[in-house]
């Protein structure tokens, strides 16, 4: 469920991301490039958890943590 909700919330950048751990309301997201990581962290960090909460009622998504990933 979380993966599907992330794809909808992230939109066109979803293929360049991969979900990591989800602990205590914090979702870790691996991002393919540093530029995209900066974009998500600075401009999308407030909107994305709200979209996830809307798509997943009853699931608390308090914060997102982005990190560079290589896959």
């Amino acid at each position: 469920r979380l993966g599907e909700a992330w794809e909808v919330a992230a939109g066109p950048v979803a293929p360049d991301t991969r979900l990591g751990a989800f602990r205590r309301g914090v979702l870790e997201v691996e991002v393919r490039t540093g530029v995209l990581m900066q974009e998500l962290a600075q401009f999308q960090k407030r909107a994305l958890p709200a979209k996830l909460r809307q798509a997943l009622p009853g699931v608390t998504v308090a914060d997102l943590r982005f990190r560079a990933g290589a896959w």
Side-chain angles (χ1 to χ4, degrees):
R1 268 181 22 176
L2 186 57
E4 293 171 4
W6 173 254
E7 287 182 17
V8 171
V13 300
D16 292 320
T17 63
R18 184 168 63 181
L19 296 182
F22 181 59
R23 289 184 216 113
R24 297 182 183 156
V26 179
L27 177 62
E28 292 180 3
V29 180
E30 291 184 23
V31 183
R32 192 179 298 265
T33 67
V35 173
L36 180 58
M37 184 169 66
Q38 186 173 6
E39 166 76 21
L40 292 172
Q42 290 185 350
F43 300 111
Q44 302 293 326
K45 192 168 182 175
R46 291 185 186 193
L48 288 171
K51 290 178 183 179
L52 289 171
R53 284 190 293 268
Q54 185 178 12
L56 298 168
V59 176
T60 302
V61 180
D63 197 13
L64 296 174
R65 294 220 174 111
F66 300 103
R67 62 184 175 104
W71 66 92

